[in-house]
């Protein structure tokens, strides 16, 4: 089951919420900032413990890491790092697709029955929302074709995003 809602992802009572993080994975602005604020300092401590794969990089672009949700209603936070959008000719779509696929795989590994995504890369990282939403919906549909027992929620903070997701999901 896939649905789009409008709201604040930090309030959702789902098994896992996905954070649009950066490769350092120690917080930031946007949804990253909101999730860290709501989860509390323990989330920062948990991120600090995630090993760097190379200096300054705990989570390479397209990959995903999981931590507890601490003060959040969600059990887990799955941190993923979307691509910074340049011109669409630098592998951005493949990297964004990896974010959704790797986050869903990690959710399944942790027996999550529900997962909520923000619109990854479409804020500070500048990904055009229509293209990003198409990638998100096609990855979600492909995943559900293999594993029906997880509910996927696209949590749109902005009305314009919800309208786009609703159109795509109605197809
Ligand atoms: N709930 C749901 N969605 C939210 C929330 C929230 N509380 N706050 C912001 N968003 C939405 C934004 O409106 C946007 O649609 O999350 C989407 C992603 O935007 P960003 O948070 O800017 O993420 P991104 O574009 O992936 O850039 C990541 O921003 O915050 C930094 O540390 C982060 O460096 C990383 C970069």
């Amino acid at each position: 089951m896939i649905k789009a809602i409008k709201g604040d992802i930090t309030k959702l009572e789902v098994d896992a919420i996905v954070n649009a993080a950066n490769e350092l994975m120690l917080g930031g602005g946007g949804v990253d900032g909101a999730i860290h604020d709501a989860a509390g300092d323990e989330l920062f401590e948990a991120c600090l413990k995630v090993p760097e794969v190379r200096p300054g990089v705990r989570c390479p672009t397209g990959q995903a890491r999981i931590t507890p949700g601490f003060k959040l209603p969600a059990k887990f936070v799955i941190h993923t790092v979307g691509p910074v959008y340049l011109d669409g000719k630098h592998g951005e779509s493949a990297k964004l697709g990896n974010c959704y696929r790797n986050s869903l795989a990690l959710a399944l590994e942790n027996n999550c029955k529900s997962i909520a995504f923000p619109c990854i890369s479409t804020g500070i990282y500048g990904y055009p929302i229509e293209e990003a939403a198409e990638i998100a919906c096609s990855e979600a549909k492909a995943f559900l074709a293999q594993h029906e027992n997880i509910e996927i929620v696209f949590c749109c903070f902005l009305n314009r995003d919800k309208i786009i997701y609703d159109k795509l999901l109605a197809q």
Side-chain angles (χ1 to χ4, degrees), residues 41-118:
D41 295 345
E42 290 169 295
L43 180 61
F44 179 82
E45 299 306 322
C47 289
L48 213 49
K49 291 192 188 111
V50 173
E52 292 183 86
V53 292
R54 52 182 181 276
V57 177
R58 286 184 176 79
C59 184
T61 299
Q63 291 190 24
R65 300 285 188 273
I66 194 165
T67 66
F70 299 111
K71 294 194 175 69
L72 287 160
K75 228 181 280 169
F76 298 107
V77 179
I78 291 176
H79 308 259
T80 192
V81 180
V84 174
Y85 190 81
L86 301 173
D87 55 10
K89 300 188 184 85
H90 288 74
E92 293 97 324
S93 59
K95 289 171 188 163
L96 187 59
N98 289 340
C99 287
Y100 286 93
R101 242 190 337 281
N102 289 325
S103 298
L104 285 163
L106 206 42
L108 209 65
E109 274 168 47
N110 288 274
N111 303 314
C112 296
K113 296 282 176 275
S114 54
I115 181 171
F117 286 97

Side-chain angles (χ1 to χ4, degrees), residues 8-9 20-22 27-32 34 119 121-125 157-158 161:
D8 175 349
I9 202 165
N22 57 54
V31 70
D32 196 2
C119 303
S121 277
T122 65
I124 294 165
Y125 281 1
F157 204 52
L158 308 171
D161 298 349

